[in-house]
Every structure is written in C-alpha cells, then in structure tokens.
Amino acid sequence: MARQSIPRFDLYGELGVDPSADTVAIEAAYRGLIDREPMASGAAGVRRSARLRLARDWLVDAELRGRYDASRARAAARAAGKPARAGGDIPWPAADLARAEAEAEAEAHEAQGAQGAVPHQDAPTRIEWSATPAAAALAGDVPAESGRAGSPGRRRSRGPAVALGRLALLVALAVAAYAITSNLGLLSAALNSPTASPPPATLTPAPPTLAATILPTTAPTPEPTLPGPTDIPIATLQQGAWDTVQRVQAAATADDLATIQSLVGDTASGLRLSGVRQVEFPPVAVGAFVTQRAGELYDAVADPYHLTSTDGQAWTFDWADRPLAAYRPAGKDIHDLWWTESDGKHHLYLRITVATLSRQSVYATLTWTFDPARPDDATYFKRAAIDVTGVSFDDGPPVLTSGQPVAIVGSTFVITSVKLATPYTGALPSQLVLEITVTNPRTIGGAGRENPTTYTLPIR
C-alpha cells in the first residue's frame, strides 16, 4: 500500500480541538460539526466535508497521528529559527526530505571544521605556452644553456658555425651537379660514335616484393546518447509528476489561472476560473504513479490524473474532461412543470443551479421541490425521470448528444451528464442552452405525456 501524504492544513484547528485531545473528544467534535454546521451546496460543501473527514481519520489513527504530530514538531523547530511560512501550513513531505538533506550536509561541513580541516581553496592557475626546442633554436630566441630567450652573446657565438655549414652545403651541391653533367655528356658521345659497339645488355633485377603493411586501427569513439526510458529512475519520474499535481492544486486554491494554464498547456483551451472552481483534486501518493515511455513522451498515470513529459523533468497536466467553464442562471429561474389528474394538478418546481462544459460532456446540477399542499407528490413523481434531451451553444443549432435519464427518487438534487458527439474545441460559448425533459409520471394514459422545458444559462 502506498504511504499516505501528510495533510497540509491544521487538523486540530479544522476540528476545533486541542492537540492533547483524546480520540473520544476528537470523534465527538467531528460528529458535532457534521450534525450542527450546515454544509454549503456544491463543490465548497464537498470540500469542507472532505477536510473534516480527513482530519478525523488522521487524528483517531495512532500511527497517522504520530506522523502528523512529528511533522508539526519539525515545522515548529524550524520556525523558531526562521521567519514563519506564509499560511502556516505543515510543509509537504518532499520539501521536508530536501530540507533534511540540506541540514545533514551543513552538519557534515561543521564537523569537518571542528576536526581542524582546512577548507579547500582553488589557487589561480596560469598556463604558459613556449615554442618547441627545434623551432626556438632555428629562430635564435632560446639559448642552449640560458633560461632567458634572445641572449645577444649566444647569437654572436653561433653566427660563424652557421655560416660555415651553409657554405659546405653549397659546395656539395655544386660537385654533385658537375658529376651528373659529366656523366650525361660521356653517355651521349658513346651513343653517337659509329665505331662504338652497343653496350652489353644487362638484366636489371626486379625489385623485391614488399609485404602489405597493415596499419593499426583504433575503435571509433561512441557518440554520447540521450537518456532513454530506462536511464531516468522511476522514482524521479513519479516525484516530478506528483510535484506538478501539487502545483496545479495550489494554483487552483489561489485562483491563479495563469499558472494553471501554463501547467496544462493546450489540454484546456479557454479555461476559466468558473470551471476551475468546479474541479475536485483528490489526494494521490507519489508511489501511486505508473510511468512508462510512449513514443517521444513519458507518461505518468494515477487515477484520476494523467501527465506527460518530454524529458522526465517538466510535466504537462492533462485537464482531460474536467470543467472548462461554469454556466448559471441570472436568478432562481424555477420552471413549474405539472400534470393534471382527476384530483387536480401535480406540480414539479424544477431549476438548474449550475451547468459545466467540458471537452466531451455537459454536466447539469438540478434541484426540485413539490407542491407543499400535496405531501404525497414525492411518491407520485418517483415514477418520472429527468433527461437532458438537447444542448446548443449561443444561437447555434442543437448538437448531437447522448444522455441517460435520472430518476426523481430519494433526493432533492441530482447531477446529470450528457456526452457530446464530438469534443468541443475553440472559444467557449457565452451561453449554454439545455432542454430538460421530465418523463410522464402517470402509470396510465399512454406515451406522449413528457413535459419538456428549456433553460438558457450565461457563462460565469
């Protein structure tokens, strides 16, 4: 099982208990908040309930509470010597690990200094180039025994010897030229003389055959290779993906749309804050990510998250089918749908509180009430169902959709969804038009008794 990450918020403060409270007091505080505190509807209420439940689960479990208290103690110890962190949250586990490594390295340097070790200081290095001995000798700049270049005395002592050598070379060349010229003249006279007999033929031995020389070869130096799928440790890929999820969550909490857009790339074109505020980000452990190489990309998947990377370091958060924008009615916009029976009318007061548009789906949250004068209408309408039968954007024609009817049973609100035939792309529409159909609740009377109604919701 993956080790759970330590929560970032104050668990004791969330439940309103003292850190010394026992399990019974913590459980009582949780139950009291759940029973007494009215939860907000929608995402805010779900988030509040989730935080209360997470605080109770960690504080009633001895092992989890021990880990959380130890993390608080470390944070308090650091805060005693450093300025307080913004928000006062408990640091993330990955940040604790990096800080612990830095502190360990600092302690190691202090211990080395205590033992009298002298810190290493790199002395400046100077590289001087000089001519080769042969070149220096010919140039007359470097004496044979002197350390100074261009000594005048050395040049005077070498002058006569050089002159004599050059003269001897000229004499040798002149003698060789004369010998060659004389031999050529004698040979020409012998060939042109009528009494001269031709020289005897001589056989010139063939030159010896030389064996082929095989030159030594060296193996070519291999070119450096880029990191492949197995060159990056799996733990590094998992940590990079996990860090990106935490950055997206923190930006969503701070309504930082620019940061979110930079992390999701083109997977959420036209994203608005109204859509971000409808998204839930469930916690995920670092080890929960399954990583693999897919073509030129690295993949990291941990339900419900999917991220990709080209280098294993910078990751792109796939926004997938999460809401791009939210649409709400200008007011209550309650529609009165009714059916006539022998005992009079049966009313269903229906409205849409919010609808969201995603790349592939439209989600609508509906609420309803019955006629207070007819307490039995809850039973009457349980045979009916709600269905999204039409979706259109702005003044455009309806798009093909596929939805499932939802029964009006057991609750006063329901979230229904409809899948678009083709993914939505381009600029987000300013209006979302939904046609809602409530099927016939009567057990008699035949088909064709459906009651449709249309809602026009502006973008928020």
Side-chain angles (χ1 to χ4, degrees), residues 384-401:
I386 298 177
D387 190 11
V388 180
T389 54
V391 176
S392 59
F393 307 113
D394 293 330
D395 297 329
V399 297
L400 296 177
T401 59

Side-chain angles (χ1 to χ4, degrees), residues 9 14 38 128-129 240 260 271 314 331 335:
F9 59 93
E14 192 71 25
E128 296 181 353
W129 295 92
I260 297 176
L271 181 65
H335 293 202

